[in-house]
Amino acid sequence: MSIHSAVTAADASGWRLDRALAAALPILSRERLKALISSGQVTDASGVAVRDPATKIVGGARFEVAVPEARPAHNEAQDIPLVIAYEDEHLIVVDKPAGLVVHPAAGNYDGTLVNALLHHCGGSLSGIGGVARPGIVHRIDKGTSGLIVAAKTDRAHEGLAAQFARHSIDRRYRAIVSGRPDPSAGSVDAPLARSAANRQKMAIASGDRGKRAVTHYRLIQPLREASLVECRLETGRTHQVRVHMASIGHSLLGDPAYGRIRPAHRALLEKLGFRRQALHAAGLGFIHPVTSAALSFESKMPSDMQELFSELAV
């Protein structure tokens, strides 16, 4: 249990208690403070617990906030090697290899990025929502490689989640697709929803079903009956790039769910042992949720995609 003393700002008279404390204690998110207030962990200068986050306060008032030690996460910490693109006390950017699942789920209860982060971060991982766990604010598929950011603290988690919700995160993918897009640059604006035929797949939705999904693509280099393209996500839906590119006739090479393998590519994929979608999260940019610094990261295509690219070069 740690105790934090806070004095509300002089001009905070009439503010809600949770808002005033969030300004006075920036290490704690407003949502976390709401939970602490409601559970009786915030006391005023006379030592009386204040249990309503909406309580109006006066400027210059003193409060004490008791923060319980974070409960251990249910998931097991596992020593899985990680490539770290960036890390500070608030967040971590990982260059994920293909084959690594992001979050434990049915069929993948361990050996995931979450298990690796619990081990890597150790004591530096603050309690997000009262639990010692990394804050996964977005995901990339098991068969997709590249950059992913995770929060270490409540405040970072809340700030990153807000940027993803506003679609202000810069996410750029490199993909090797079949054929050659014509026009060479364009946008796919088509809503996505779970496929009615197969709930494990996504599909273009009709009517008012699905969520809006927008992918902007451009040709980087023509290849042999294929192309290297960049896809910039305006939204971030499950399997978005894979479904959108397939919907315009340019499915990702090696895609086990949405791919239509051309005869010219089948033998090559078998020869290389390439059994995943040729998709790499190559660029990631966002505003640091605590320092407000603009951060941008680039990742080169991994060796398996580089080899496939070289074999297809015209």
Side-chain angles (χ1 to χ4, degrees):
M1 178 80 71
S2 58
I3 306 296
H4 300 271
S5 294
V7 178
T8 60
D11 60 354
S13 291
W15 287 15
R16 288 171 52 111
L17 176 59
D18 58 341
R19 177 190 174 193
L21 288 180
L25 289 173
I27 61 171
L28 296 172
S29 72
R30 188 166 174 179
E31 289 303 313
R32 180 72 172 127
L33 284 163
K34 285 181 183 179
L36 291 170
I37 295 166
S38 298
S39 62
Q41 302 296 331
V42 175
T43 55
D44 61 19
S46 63
V48 176
V50 186
R51 295 178 178 270
D52 184 357
T55 299
K56 298 298 190 290
I57 58 95
V58 296
R62 181 177 297 277
F63 294 89
E64 285 198 342
V65 181
V67 181
E69 292 299 320
R71 302 190 308 276
H74 175 69
N75 302 117
E76 178 185 356
Q78 295 177 320
D79 188 2
I80 301 170
L82 293 174
V83 176
I84 309 299
Y86 176 85
E87 182 177 13
D88 63 20
E89 62 188 302
H90 304 288
L91 56 85
I92 183 170
V93 178
V94 175
D95 200 338
K96 185 188 87 67
L100 182 64
V101 175
V102 170
H103 201 280
N108 295 284
Y109 290 109
D110 59 8
T112 70
L113 178 62
V114 165
N115 298 109
L117 288 173
L118 287 170
H119 179 274
H120 174 82
C121 296
S124 69
L125 189 63
S126 298
I128 296 174
V131 179
R133 63 170 180 245
I136 302 298
V137 290
H138 70 126
R139 304 185 188 189
I140 53 180
D141 298 333
K142 174 182 178 180
T144 301
S145 54
L147 298 166
I148 181 170
V149 60
K152 290 181 170 187
T153 65
D154 244 347
R155 189 179 176 199
H157 192 180
E158 190 176 77
L160 287 170
Q163 291 182 61
F164 276 98
R166 293 194 301 269
H167 308 306
S168 61
I169 303 285
D170 181 28
R171 282 177 287 174
R172 297 174 187 269
Y173 286 75
R174 293 290 173 96
I176 299 176
V177 304
S178 63
R180 189 171 303 175
D182 184 18
S184 60
S187 300
V188 183
D189 186 342
L192 297 179
R194 289 285 171 188
S195 167
N198 183 344
R199 298 294 294 173
Q200 293 184 325
K201 296 176 65 175
M202 304 297 289
I204 303 295
S206 58
D208 58 356
R209 290 185 63 245
K211 296 180 179 179
R212 184 170 187 247
V214 183
T215 303
H216 306 285
Y217 71 86
R218 68 178 181 90
L219 174 69
I220 296 176
Q221 184 172 332
L223 302 172
R224 195 167 60 252
E225 293 190 42
S227 302
L228 176 66
V229 299
E230 178 186 80
C231 295
R232 180 173 61 83
L233 301 190
E234 184 173 320
T235 59
R237 310 303 180 196
T238 301
H239 298 179
Q240 178 174 313
V241 172
R242 299 165 65 185
V243 177
H244 273 175
M245 294 309 295
S247 75
I248 60 172
H250 301 289
S251 57
L252 276 61
L253 266 64
D255 193 328
Y258 306 101
R260 293 179 176 83
I261 302 177
R262 296 189 177 201
H265 299 145
R266 189 181 303 278
L268 175 60
L269 293 172
E270 284 296 323
K271 179 184 117 175
L272 298 178
F274 195 93
R275 295 182 177 87
R276 71 172 180 102
Q277 60 269 12
L279 185 62
H280 179 66
L284 179 66
F286 54 90
I287 301 300
H288 194 293
V290 178
T291 68
S292 297
L295 300 179
S296 181
F297 306 96
E298 299 289 334
S299 170
K300 293 182 179 178
M301 288 193 302
S303 58
D304 63 341
M305 274 188 68
Q306 289 278 7
E307 185 178 21
L308 179 60
F309 171 80
S310 297
E311 290 280 351
L312 290 168
V314 177

